[in-house]
């Protein structure tokens, strides 16, 4: 599931991540109550938030439970945390991905490219992408799951000369 920045799903995941206990308690599962309970969500007049919650639950990004008072609890799962990545202070290491997935595996190549964008990778050259985010473990897991290890290399570097690449706003 792709979660666009600025979307209801992104705002909900972000709100769960930033909440003190990693959960949000809703008084009821009605639309108006949700809008009051979850700050930072875009205002919508239709019940898209209910469908967003259902989709996020189906994908395993969030869990829903009901406590003894009958209140609904939404909790970010580990999959949801991995998807968001952890907004930690930069550790000084660049993650460089070099990849050349054959045309016959176009579907997997497109999936991998989408994930790189979601993880804030920038294109350095056509098949060389770079990021400051520490998502190496998530990438390695994805590569193993897709069985694409022979087509993708991950390099970590603290070379200070790479920083001009990250600051370069030119389209490539």
């Amino acid at each position: 599931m792709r979660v666009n920045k600025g979307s209801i799903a992104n705002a909900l995941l972000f709100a769960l991540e930033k909440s003190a206990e990693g959960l949000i308690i809703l008084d009821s599962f009605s639309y108006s109550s949700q809008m009051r309970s979850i700050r930072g969500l875009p205002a919508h007049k239709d019940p898209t938030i209910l469908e967003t919650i259902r989709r996020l639950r189906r994908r395993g990004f969030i869990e829903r439970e009901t406590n003894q008072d009958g209140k609904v609890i939404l909790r970010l799962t580990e999959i949801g945390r991995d998807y968001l990545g952890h907004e930690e202070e930069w550790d000084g290491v660049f993650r460089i991905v070099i990849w050349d997935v054959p045309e016959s595996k176009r579907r997997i190549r497109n999936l991998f490219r989408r994930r790189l964008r979601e993880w804030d990778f920038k294109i350095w050259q056509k098949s060389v992408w770079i990021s400051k985010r520490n998502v190496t473990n998530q990438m390695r897991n994805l590569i193993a799951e897709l069985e694409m290890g022979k087509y993708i290399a991950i390099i970590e570097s603290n070379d200070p000369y790479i920083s001009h690449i990250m600051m370069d706003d030119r389209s490539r």
Side-chain angles (χ1 to χ4, degrees), residues 91 93-96 121 130-134 136 155-156:
D91 60 3
V93 177
F94 294 98
R95 279 68 185 183
I96 304 166
F121 275 78
I130 188 168
S131 178
K132 290 181 173 183
R133 288 188 64 190
N134 186 0
T136 303
I155 300 167
E156 293 182 320

Side-chain angles (χ1 to χ4, degrees), residues 9-172:
N10 187 62
L12 179 60
L13 290 173
F14 184 74
L16 282 166
E17 180 186 45
K18 298 301 179 190
S19 67
E21 298 167 4
L23 55 87
I24 294 175
I25 300 174
L26 304 174
D27 288 332
S28 70
F29 220 77
S30 69
Y31 175 71
S32 60
S33 174
Q34 290 172 33
M35 291 308 291
R36 284 193 306 272
S37 299
I38 304 172
R39 290 192 168 88
L41 290 180
H44 288 275
K45 294 185 179 177
D46 61 321
T48 55
I49 191 165
L50 295 172
E51 184 56 35
T52 300
I53 290 170
R54 284 186 202 105
R55 276 195 324 268
L56 291 171
R57 285 184 56 218
R58 266 196 313 265
R59 299 291 184 168
F61 286 23
I62 63 174
E63 305 174 323
R64 176 182 175 248
E65 12 179 297
T66 307
N67 68 10
Q68 60 258 44
D69 299 333
K71 294 184 180 184
V72 175
I73 300 171
L74 300 178
R75 183 185 321 271
L76 190 62
T77 65
E78 197 59 41
I79 294 169
R81 286 184 206 290
D82 284 348
Y83 180 82
L84 286 172
H86 300 287
E87 294 295 325
E88 302 165 351
E89 191 172 313
W90 182 46
D91 60 3
V93 177
F94 294 98
R95 279 68 185 183
I96 304 166
V97 178
I98 302 170
W99 54 294
D100 191 14
V101 178
E103 180 65 26
S104 62
K105 300 185 183 303
R106 175 187 290 205
R107 204 176 226 174
I108 292 172
R109 184 178 63 208
N110 290 341
L111 170 71
F112 189 68
R113 185 182 297 118
R114 267 194 315 273
R115 290 308 301 258
L116 289 174
R117 284 188 186 116
E118 290 167 4
W119 287 325
D120 296 325
F121 275 78
K122 306 292 182 218
I123 299 173
W124 186 1
Q125 293 181 4
K126 188 175 179 180
S127 294
V128 180
W129 293 47
I130 188 168
S131 178
K132 290 181 173 183
R133 288 188 64 190
N134 186 0
V135 291
T136 303
N137 290 336
Q138 292 97 315
M139 271 194 300
R140 290 192 196 287
N141 291 339
L142 179 64
I143 291 166
E145 184 180 320
L146 298 174
E147 299 177 355
M148 300 303 290
K150 64 183 177 181
Y151 304 113
I152 303 168
I154 302 169
I155 300 167
E156 293 182 320
S157 174
N158 60 358
D159 184 342
Y161 294 107
I162 295 175
S163 63
H164 77 278
I165 295 162
M166 295 300 293
M167 299 300 176
D168 191 358
D169 289 336
R170 291 178 291 149
S171 302
R172 296 188 192 259

